[in-house]
Amino acid sequence: MAAKMFLFVLLQTLIQYPQMVGDGLDEATRARMELRAKLLDREMTRLLQELEQNSLERSARAWRALLWAALQQEHFWALAVVLGLLLWLWFVCRRGSHQPGNNGEEEEEEEDGEDNEDVCEEEEEEEEAAPFETALRRALAHPVKWPVQDLKRGCEDTTVLMGHFTFVFGHLFSDGSYPVPQQAIGVGSAFEGWTPWEEDVVYCVLVPLTPPPGHTFHLEMDTSGRIPGRNFFIRVEPVCTCPREQQDENVLCSLHHPEEEQRRNEEPNFLNTLCTGSYLDVEKTARWFYQLVRAAWPALPQSHSWRLVLLPSSRCCKFKVTRGGESLTVELLFGVQVGNSDIYVSSQPTEALFTPSTMWPETYAVAEMRFFSHIANQAPRDSQHLKCLQLLAHVLVGIGFSTYTMKTIVMHLLNTMPLSLWGRRQVLRRLGDTMEYLRGSLEDKRLDHFVVGNQRFPQEILLPPDVKTAEPPNLFHRLAQDPAAHTQAMMEYPELRDRIERIFLYGQ
């Protein structure tokens, strides 16, 4: 209101005291101008009263009257000033209508009743946002439609199924001539609480193996360096069981009874069935597990209503059970625990084109699964870190970056920033942080492994001492060695960023 009153006072001054266009005005003209000035003064008074009553319609008519009077005076400079002031006033009013204080109610409705303090914080974050996040905010025209996947039910069904398998396995090998499969541990994206947007989710489990009586597993690290990462050979060694002979006459020590060792070598047993030389063989063990699953299936209660289909694989046992339109795909890895830690050597494949069948890569799947459980116990209920990871995995289709690369970056961020910053309203910022982390890693040609050598890894997750102190493997070692691969990755980075923007723009 004060701005409008100032405008009219200025307008009144311009009309009452017009600039002279000549020195030769006669008395009649002067009298006519004074009369018009008085009329305009009365008109101005009436206009101010109307403004105080906030009558927009009457004010508009008053404006037209003033403008017409100014036009009759033929003071074109005054008219130009009036038009300029009108434009200025319109701009001020329009700008005021877009201030945060005017749309606070709309902010609250869009954010389901969140308070004004959160709105202010979000606006401050938007001002400080990285260019990538700013672009995403502009693209946020429709809400993202997250896929609905009942991972919890699938994990529970898989756990129950593997529990039944383990129970039957225990009875099959009660004689102690073969390794004993232990309770399966759910690992991988599904058991971590996220998974790429796929129709058929694969539920991965790790089955630890313990050596049969009279034998032990000794881990030998591969030092050749031909295959990236930490890889091991599992040497099977005989141990003395003489103290047990006094309790069980059927148990003979293979070290002190050579004839017993000779007899065992002539019969199908653990050493000549699952080993190559003195080392446990991955591929032979995989074939053995296929036979176990096929033999144990009829004894399971699921066999009465589900159908078992074995799927081909050389380093693991993969199968699917179906019932009507339902299906459950399980990938069964097997391995040996490293000490009493959450680290195992397993049958998972390596990055190399050819991996010796006696080589077992060190896996951190159990430790990573426990890390996500640790985060879930500490994060707020509305934390969106799993949905961020799910979205990133979805947009990787057709691009050279692996899902494990994006998972590693997200784990680094989760471990270094407050979990309160992963709420629903911070999704865009966290995606922006992830992309900036990826860009920096690509430029440096280095992405450190999350578990190995991480001094900030949660202490409640057990790691062997050498894993804690080891040099972190570089997940981008191939980019550092192959300039063409690095160039390709740098070209694919903008495409990955654009895909995320399109997800928020079109909701798919």
Side-chain angles (χ1 to χ4, degrees), residues 343-387:
I343 304 300
Y344 292 76
V345 296
S346 77
S347 61
Q348 67 180 12
T350 65
E351 297 181 10
L353 295 177
F354 171 75
T355 303
S357 62
T358 55
M359 180 172 287
W360 299 70
E362 192 170 64
T363 179
Y364 316 97
V366 175
E368 291 170 355
M369 180 273 297
R370 301 202 192 284
F371 172 77
F372 277 99
S373 298
H374 168 77
I375 293 297
N377 292 332
Q378 295 188 347
R381 181 173 298 181
D382 67 337
S383 180
Q384 303 293 303
H385 62 280
L386 294 178
K387 288 187 176 180

Side-chain angles (χ1 to χ4, degrees), residues 395-407:
V395 299
L396 290 177
V397 178
I399 295 183
F401 301 113
S402 67
T403 303
Y404 193 74
T405 294
M406 306 310 297
K407 172 184 169 181

Side-chain angles (χ1 to χ4, degrees), residues 117-143:
E117 183 178 354
D118 292 338
V119 174
C120 294
E121 291 178 358
E122 183 67 14
E123 290 168 355
E124 292 176 0
E125 290 179 356
E126 183 174 357
E127 293 176 357
E128 300 174 356
F132 173 73
E133 183 196 343
T134 302
L136 285 179
R137 287 190 180 278
R138 289 196 298 266
L140 191 56
H142 304 286

Side-chain angles (χ1 to χ4, degrees), residues 150 153-162 164-165 200-201 203 293-294 296-310 319-330:
D150 195 352
R153 178 184 174 184
C155 291
E156 291 175 351
D157 291 344
T158 302
T159 301
V160 171
L161 177 63
M162 292 308 305
H164 292 159
F165 269 122
D200 189 9
V201 179
Y203 295 89
V293 170
R294 184 183 291 108
W297 175 251
L300 269 58
Q302 289 87 346
S303 64
H304 301 294
S305 56
W306 293 77
R307 177 173 174 265
L308 174 69
V309 178
L310 296 174
F319 60 88
K320 176 184 289 188
V321 291
T322 59
R323 180 179 62 184
E326 299 180 71
S327 66
L328 190 69
T329 302
V330 179

Side-chain angles (χ1 to χ4, degrees), residues 1 4-5 8 45-59 61:
M1 179 62 70
K4 294 182 179 180
M5 292 183 65
F8 287 120
T45 301
R46 185 177 66 83
L47 180 59
L48 289 174
Q49 294 175 351
E50 292 178 352
L51 285 175
E52 293 176 356
Q53 299 173 359
N54 294 323
S55 176
L56 182 60
E57 182 179 356
R58 294 180 181 180
S59 297
R61 290 199 300 267

Side-chain angles (χ1 to χ4, degrees), residues 222 224-232 348-355 359-362 364 473-478 481:
D222 174 37
S224 65
R226 291 174 296 181
I227 298 179
R230 293 164 54 92
N231 303 286
F232 292 82
Q348 67 180 12
T350 65
E351 297 181 10
L353 295 177
F354 171 75
T355 303
M359 180 172 287
W360 299 70
E362 192 170 64
Y364 316 97
N474 179 17
L475 300 185
F476 281 172
H477 63 88
R478 187 173 64 90
Q481 299 173 357

Side-chain angles (χ1 to χ4, degrees), residues 43-116:
E43 185 70 18
M44 189 64 128
T45 301
R46 185 177 66 83
L47 180 59
L48 289 174
Q49 294 175 351
E50 292 178 352
L51 285 175
E52 293 176 356
Q53 299 173 359
N54 294 323
S55 176
L56 182 60
E57 182 179 356
R58 294 180 181 180
S59 297
R61 290 199 300 267
W63 273 105
R64 289 196 296 269
L66 285 174
L67 293 176
W68 177 252
L71 186 59
Q72 292 296 320
Q73 287 290 337
E74 300 181 354
H75 295 145
F76 296 104
W77 284 106
L79 179 61
V81 172
V82 172
L83 291 176
L85 291 173
L86 283 173
L87 291 174
W88 174 80
L89 181 61
W90 174 82
F91 175 79
V92 170
C93 294
R94 181 175 178 82
R95 182 180 179 184
S97 65
H98 287 80
Q99 292 298 320
N102 294 340
N103 62 353
E105 296 180 358
E106 296 178 1
E107 289 271 350
E108 292 178 357
E109 293 177 359
E110 293 176 358
E111 301 300 337
D112 300 329
E114 295 185 5
D115 55 22
N116 292 332

